[in-house]
Amino acid sequence: TVKPAQPIAVNSNLAWTPDNVSLIVALRNPELDREARATFKTLTEGPIVVHKSSDPFLEWDLLNRSTRTRSIALLNPADGSVKPVLPQGRISSYQVGRDGTFMTVMEDVTSKTDYDTIGGTDNNLRVVNLKSGESKLLMPAKDTKGTTFRWSDDGRWFAYGKRGEVFLQNVDGSAARNLTPKPKTDKSKE
């Protein structure tokens, strides 16, 4: 039985590395789960509490976000060894590239409850080199808000729409390329 120092998070994705030697998993400190259970019990069985909109988060929103606090590691099932890849942080989601050299991460940087979109999240889009652990920001939260990404099969390219235009970007960090044709101008009016 493989037992890493921290247990595998219940909301962990599992992805094999291309060499079939390691699994990429999310790990979670068990103390965080104990705190979440205690908070849930207080919210459901405790005294009536008045919450203020001046608090950064509603209690239920904060409790829901707590499950995102986790780290990412390479787990070798043969010997149980664990190699950290990404330190503990609020990770909304992650996806491993087909070649296993990188992963893309949606990092929750939400600063307060969004009363317009309950459960709404502000995410930075990052790419992480799985060998070195180096993390690079691809798109800040202000640009990912309300954006749906469409990923290529190998995970290296993503497309998205913004303000009626379609953009394409590579995880190498190069600038997004606008694929939307420029409107034709009426040269007779010039």
Side-chain angles (χ1 to χ4, degrees), residues 113-132:
T113 295
D114 182 343
Y115 288 96
D116 294 325
T117 310
I118 299 300
T121 305
D122 295 331
N123 288 296
N124 284 337
L125 175 60
R126 297 191 157 280
V127 63
V128 178
N129 181 308
L130 289 175
K131 290 187 194 290
S132 70

Side-chain angles (χ1 to χ4, degrees), residues 4 26 54 64 73 93 97 101 113 128 142 146 158:
S54 60
N64 182 47
S93 64
T101 62
T113 295
V128 178
K142 68 180 182 63
F158 58 99

Side-chain angles (χ1 to χ4, degrees), residues 5-188:
Q6 290 187 2
I8 296 173
V10 295
N11 58 349
S12 177
N13 295 344
L14 298 174
W16 283 101
T17 55
D19 60 8
N20 294 320
V21 170
S22 299
L23 280 167
I24 299 165
V25 298
L27 304 177
R28 184 163 159 86
N29 184 327
E31 184 57 35
L32 294 173
D33 289 328
R34 283 190 282 281
E35 289 172 12
R37 277 192 297 280
T39 300
F40 179 82
K41 186 173 182 177
T42 299
L43 288 171
T44 58
E45 298 175 12
I48 295 173
V49 177
V50 176
H51 299 281
K52 302 178 295 208
S53 62
S54 60
D55 290 339
F57 288 99
L58 292 172
E59 288 293 325
W60 285 106
D61 192 26
L62 192 58
L63 180 63
N64 182 47
R65 287 180 195 291
S66 72
T67 62
R68 296 179 185 151
T69 302
R70 50 197 176 156
S71 60
I72 307 294
L74 291 168
L75 171 67
N76 184 327
D79 63 12
S81 63
V82 175
K83 177 187 173 202
V85 174
L86 195 62
Q88 180 175 289
R90 290 190 323 202
I91 301 168
S92 296
S93 64
Y94 59 97
Q95 175 179 313
V96 180
R98 182 187 291 162
D99 68 4
T101 62
F102 69 96
M103 71 178 177
T104 52
V105 176
M106 294 300 280
E107 172 191 33
D108 182 351
V109 294
T110 309
S111 60
K112 62 182 183 171
T113 295
D114 182 343
Y115 288 96
D116 294 325
T117 310
I118 299 300
T121 305
D122 295 331
N123 288 296
N124 284 337
L125 175 60
R126 297 191 157 280
V127 63
V128 178
N129 181 308
L130 289 175
K131 290 187 194 290
S132 70
E134 178 190 354
S135 172
K136 185 180 354 174
L137 181 66
L138 292 176
M139 190 178 289
K142 68 180 182 63
D143 295 334
T144 65
K145 187 126 181 127
T147 303
T148 300
F149 299 103
R150 299 292 181 227
W151 292 90
S152 63
D153 287 343
D154 64 2
R156 289 197 169 276
W157 292 90
F158 58 99
Y160 59 95
K162 200 79 150 173
R163 298 175 308 276
E165 298 177 296
V166 177
F167 295 89
L168 180 68
Q169 190 168 347
N170 190 300
V171 296
D172 66 4
S174 57
R177 192 172 81 217
N178 189 337
L179 301 177
T180 311
K182 299 279 185 217
K184 293 182 181 181
T185 57
D186 187 355
K187 294 187 180 191
S188 65

